[in-house]
Amino acid sequence: MINKIDLINAFRPSVAKHILTCYKAFEYEYTEEDTPPNEYAEKGIKLHKISEDLYNNPKLKIDNTFTKDDINLVKGYVYYIKSIADENADIAEVEKKVYLEKLSPYFYKDKYGTIDFVAIKNKKLHIVDLKTGRTNVIIKDNYQLYIYAYLAYCEYKNNYNINNIRVAIYQYNRERYIDLKVDELITFIQNNIIVHLDNVFIATSLPSTVQLTCKWCKGKAICKEYLDNLSLF
């Protein structure tokens, strides 16, 4: 029998929407082995690291093994977040760790996610996510970004006056963002994240739900519902 505490701690913000709308996927996230990162994932990891280094050291020379598009993406992203992290910013951090225990008491104390960039400026909390892939990422109701915004808000709210929140994605050398009221964010997290985490913990069985994100599920090779509906993909 699966230990429910261990199961809950299989949660990752990057796959939150998929595993919280299909509880069986949550179990697969825990029981199935991680697949090795493909070349695109590896490149994304490297570009995030270079972005962090360039932010901290503007004179850094970027390795010429990257394409011109990749270099322009990194430089454009750093320029964008630097424009937020000016003298008017109360705080500004890259690769900021935020701890998931604020979402659920079932998370281990050291369970965390990483925000690419976070800042507070003019009573606004800024969350920026660098996307290095070509697939267009939707910001509205984005589980991963809203989780990061909520965790950052919980960490900073007692020390800073935060009136609203801007969640942004930097991709294709341009930024896209959505502004949220604090109450909007809290309501979304309560209704779409916290309730489902509680349901996973108390569930006696975990049902499957066929959805487009099944193609990224760790359990698709053994999931009957997915295999019975391959025509949808």
Side-chain angles (χ1 to χ4, degrees):
M1 185 175 179
I2 295 175
N3 181 306
K4 286 297 185 71
I5 296 293
D6 291 339
L7 177 64
I8 287 288
N9 280 276
F11 177 85
R12 292 179 292 138
S14 60
V15 295
K17 185 170 184 177
H18 175 55
I19 66 175
L20 289 177
T21 51
C22 174
Y23 293 157
K24 195 68 178 178
F26 212 125
E27 182 178 319
Y28 291 141
E29 190 68 23
Y30 172 67
T31 59
E32 301 304 306
E33 293 290 330
D34 290 332
T35 56
N38 59 32
E39 61 178 306
Y40 302 106
E42 289 181 345
K43 185 178 80 167
I45 292 169
K46 291 177 181 178
L47 291 177
H48 277 80
K49 181 62 171 68
I50 291 171
S51 299
E52 179 185 7
D53 293 343
L54 185 61
Y55 177 86
N56 292 317
N57 178 17
K59 295 182 180 180
L60 178 74
K61 292 188 176 181
I62 301 176
D63 191 334
N64 60 11
T65 59
F66 290 101
T67 67
K68 183 178 179 180
D69 285 347
D70 290 337
I71 293 172
N72 287 338
L73 173 66
V74 166
K75 288 183 176 179
Y77 166 69
V78 172
Y79 179 84
Y80 173 59
I81 61 177
K82 284 275 190 179
S83 71
I84 301 171
D86 60 18
E87 66 276 5
N88 295 316
D90 295 310
I91 61 160
E93 298 184 63
V94 290
E95 299 301 309
K96 167 68 176 174
K97 290 182 179 179
V98 283
Y99 291 88
L100 272 61
E101 62 180 328
K102 298 180 184 69
L103 287 175
S104 169
Y106 306 123
F107 283 123
Y108 299 138
K109 296 292 184 183
D110 59 351
K111 181 78 173 177
Y112 68 88
T114 304
I115 305 174
D116 292 341
F117 176 78
V118 59
I120 297 175
K121 179 179 176 180
N122 299 329
K123 300 181 180 180
K124 179 178 289 186
L125 173 65
H126 293 259
I127 304 293
V128 183
D129 193 37
L130 171 63
K131 296 297 186 186
T132 59
R134 290 291 180 179
T135 302
N136 188 51
V137 179
I138 305 299
I139 303 178
K140 183 173 174 54
D141 296 344
N142 185 300
Y143 279 46
Q144 179 185 12
L145 295 183
Y146 282 30
I147 287 170
Y148 285 155
Y150 176 78
L151 295 176
Y153 172 74
C154 289
E155 179 168 336
Y156 295 127
K157 65 180 180 178
N158 292 331
N159 296 319
Y160 299 95
N161 188 5
I162 300 173
N163 288 344
N164 51 32
I165 298 158
R166 175 164 293 179
V167 177
I169 286 175
Y170 193 89
Q171 187 179 28
Y172 305 132
N173 295 332
R174 68 185 181 92
E175 75 280 2
R176 292 173 290 119
Y177 62 82
I178 186 170
D179 288 333
L180 300 168
K181 295 177 181 178
V182 172
D183 288 347
E184 282 183 85
L185 176 65
I186 292 174
T187 298
F188 180 90
I189 293 295
Q190 181 62 49
N191 293 341
N192 295 281
I193 311 297
I194 294 175
V195 167
H196 290 299
L197 286 171
D198 289 342
N199 286 342
V200 169
F201 192 80
I202 64 176
T204 56
S205 62
L206 299 178
S208 296
T209 303
V210 177
Q211 53 191 316
L212 290 177
T213 53
C214 286
K215 57 188 175 182
W216 292 297
C217 181
K218 288 168 65 173
K220 66 181 182 181
I222 58 174
C223 178
K224 183 178 185 302
E225 286 78 3
Y226 174 77
L227 296 174
D228 287 346
N229 290 277
L230 286 176
S231 61
L232 298 177
F233 302 94

